[in-house]
Amino acid sequence: MSFIKEKENFLKNILKDLGYESDIVILPSSKKELGDFQLNVAMTLAKKYKKNPMTIASEIISKMDSSFSNINIASPGFINFSFKDQDLIDYLNNSITNFESLYDKHKEKTIFLDYGGANAAKALHVGHMRSANIGEALRRLCNTLGYKTISDVHLGDLGRQAGMLISEIKKREPELVFFDENYKGEYPKINYTAENLGNMYVSANIEASNDEKRMEEVREITAEIDKGNERYLALWKQLVEISSVEIKKIYDELNCHFDLWEGELDSFKDIPPMLTVLKPYLYESNKAMVMDVKNDGDTKEIPPLIVIKNDGATIYATRDLATIYSRIKRFNPDEIWYVVDSRQSLYFEQVFRASRMSGLVREHNKLLHLGFGTINGSDGKPYKTRDGGVMYLNNLLDIIRNEIEPKIKEEITGEKRAEIKEKLTIATLKYSDLMSNRTTDYIFDPVKFSSFDGKTGPYILYTDVRLKSILGKVETNDYKLEVINNLDLKNILLKILEIPSILNHSFNDKSLNYITDYLFDLASLFNKFYNTYHILTEEDEKIKNTYLATCKLVLNILENLLDILAINPVDRM
Ligand code: ARG
């Protein structure tokens, strides 16, 4: 149990003994000179029991006496206090290498996370990267807090790009059996690389935009796949497979782990049973099948959801509804989280309402769209490449690599240098992407974000390297915290007590900025300490041990929190 929780329980028992009942929250003191922490419970109780808050506060502190220090009351009934140094130190000594003991686990629940969402045969853009970074960190946060999770990449493996690529292959190799209507046998393996596909998509796109007949063919092929044309599907599935290998590599680089590698195509078999559930709510409108999803209390216009298009084809929504049907049937998760661009929020509102109204999901299955803001350039508009093109993830990574490269120490060379450069690049990307609140847009500033100083990923990794280097220079492992009189050190220890509230805030808001802020604060406190005291040359054994134990504690916390953000540490930089 966390230290704070343990103390809150202790205080709750005091209230009980006094005949009061109330929740109790230990808060950081707003007047540090009066004590490190405060309780506001006397005011709450005064209202409830119609008594003077000062009287209640005195009753409470008479029972706190022996277990806390520095206790005093401030009008109209604030109780200020500090923890006993020895108490705090005993607790932290037990947590030096045990991060889990610093916070409280939540109740059991299964959370299904849908993030990543790359589109097959197309390059990932910066929006896909946000989904991956936020989704992966949320998954790890959930696990840290004790929840069971299932993650699914939900590949966009159906759409116009399928028609484009197949029409391009048809043009280049019309003799392939995939284009022979009468062909009935086994399908051969095709010989394309992901790079081929990328180039073919680009040329098909240009041609189709200038040639209506070609575009018509693209549409036809796309529609045929949707209807289940076996030959096209067999070909398309191979293309998806080829491009998935590349997409997987990128997610590996971003340290993303998916339990399920499913996509829109996988939902096809679930469309008929899903439609059976929705049927009573569907009606025809302009030849399409739609469902009304508005509510009486709506303050904005919520248009009907198109479930089947006017030409009988499925759309994005059909596939998402079928996917929900399948996820509930297979996993019955308590919650499904969709980490997808905020620009899809109306869409998800419609899909969630359709699911709830039709009974596709039950009351206890929560559906949440965790939208995120846009990455902008210095002009405040969506981030573009220098020549105004779409900013793909690879372009962005190259920009960061170029910033990082000259900052790495000269003596680090060869493979090691390359490895460190990659890790720092990913750290820069992830930390800056998670640093602003999930829902806000932010301006991507490659120079600022890759700096080794300031609120950046590399700064946290630099601090981590420094801690490892200090601890690597001492021979023994046999040090622990002792009570010493040092306010700077105490500030670090008190900061550590904030961990449970930081994790809870992040979880409640589904936003990682509380963790990035905390990492920066803790790293800054430590670096200030490092610059003020001589850790390795300290002569007093007791003081030196306490310094070293603090280093180890801080190091362990940094690495655990970095791991939640899916940022890998380095050993030099
Ligand atoms: N592939 C989609 C896109 O690129 C994102 C998928 C999000 N997940 C979902 N279940 N709709 O916009």
Side-chain angles (χ1 to χ4, degrees), residues 500-512:
S501 102
I502 297 299
L503 296 179
N504 288 340
H505 257 104
S506 254
F507 180 82
N508 293 338
D509 263 18
K510 321 274 185 277
S511 182
L512 286 309

Side-chain angles (χ1 to χ4, degrees), residues 114 117 119 128 154 156 316 320 338 340 344 348:
D114 177 317
N119 296 320
H128 291 122
H154 200 74
Y316 191 44
D320 257 324
Y338 292 82
V340 186
Q344 295 190 28
F348 279 109

Side-chain angles (χ1 to χ4, degrees), residues 114-120 122 125 128 131 152-157 264 316 319-320 323 327 338-341 344 347-348:
D114 177 317
Y115 60 93
N119 296 320
K122 279 196 198 166
H125 55 67
H128 291 122
S131 172
D152 180 17
V153 67
H154 200 74
L155 213 59
D157 51 10
E264 295 186 34
Y316 191 44
R319 271 109 59 184
D320 257 324
T323 305
R327 286 174 181 169
Y338 292 82
V339 187
V340 186
D341 199 312
Q344 295 190 28
Y347 166 76
F348 279 109

